[in-house]
């Protein structure tokens, strides 16, 4: 019998972790109901506790630019280096 790995989205993980936090059911009961391993629920619960503060941190978004912004900043750096290199080469050839 082969088991296939399933990808759970963030909404599902948050839902299960929050239910585990409420402690209205045991982790084993939640694991059976949602067909996931109990260790996985403990991990999601731990991650929720560790990252909960970021939900209320206004500056967290400023510290971690979105991927598009990171790509643009990388491109700006690349073009700046190119410009500097070419301007130095032009000065040497004069």
């Amino acid at each position: 019998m082969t088991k296939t790995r399933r990808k759970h989205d963030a909404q599902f993980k948050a839902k299960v972790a929050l239910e585990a936090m409420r402690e209205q059911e045991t982790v084993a009961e939640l694991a059976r109901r949602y067909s996931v391993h109990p260790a996985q629920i403990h991990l999601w619960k731990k991650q929720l506790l560790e990252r909960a503060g970021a939900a209320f941190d206004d500056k967290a978004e400023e510290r971690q630019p979105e991927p598009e912004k990171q790509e643009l900043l990388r491109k700006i750096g690349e073009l700046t280096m190119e410009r500097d290199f070419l301007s130095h080469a032009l000065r040497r050839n004069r």
Side-chain angles (χ1 to χ4, degrees):
M1 179 175 170
T2 60
K3 293 186 179 184
T4 58
R5 288 181 176 251
R6 295 184 316 191
K7 292 266 187 184
H8 300 289
D9 64 348
Q11 296 289 349
F12 177 80
K13 292 177 185 180
K15 177 182 172 184
V16 175
L18 284 171
E19 285 193 36
M21 295 284 295
R22 288 188 194 116
E23 296 182 351
Q24 292 176 345
E25 294 180 71
T26 66
V27 172
E29 291 169 339
L30 290 172
R32 259 192 312 279
R33 182 155 47 110
Y34 291 108
S35 302
V36 295
H37 197 276
Q40 193 66 61
I41 294 176
H42 285 294
L43 177 65
W44 293 341
K45 183 178 171 182
K46 180 182 174 189
Q47 288 175 342
L48 178 66
L49 287 171
E50 289 172 352
R51 298 177 185 169
F56 302 103
D57 187 6
D58 295 335
K59 296 179 183 173
E61 291 180 18
E62 295 171 13
R63 283 182 290 211
Q64 296 182 5
E66 55 275 357
E68 183 179 296
K69 187 174 179 181
Q70 286 178 338
E71 176 63 24
L72 291 173
L73 290 172
R74 186 194 63 74
K75 188 65 175 176
I76 289 170
E78 183 182 307
L79 291 172
T80 303
M81 287 179 59
E82 237 178 78
R83 183 201 63 203
D84 292 346
F85 175 78
L86 292 172
S87 68
H88 289 294
L90 265 174
R91 284 187 208 136
R92 276 188 264 148
N93 290 337
R94 287 185 179 184

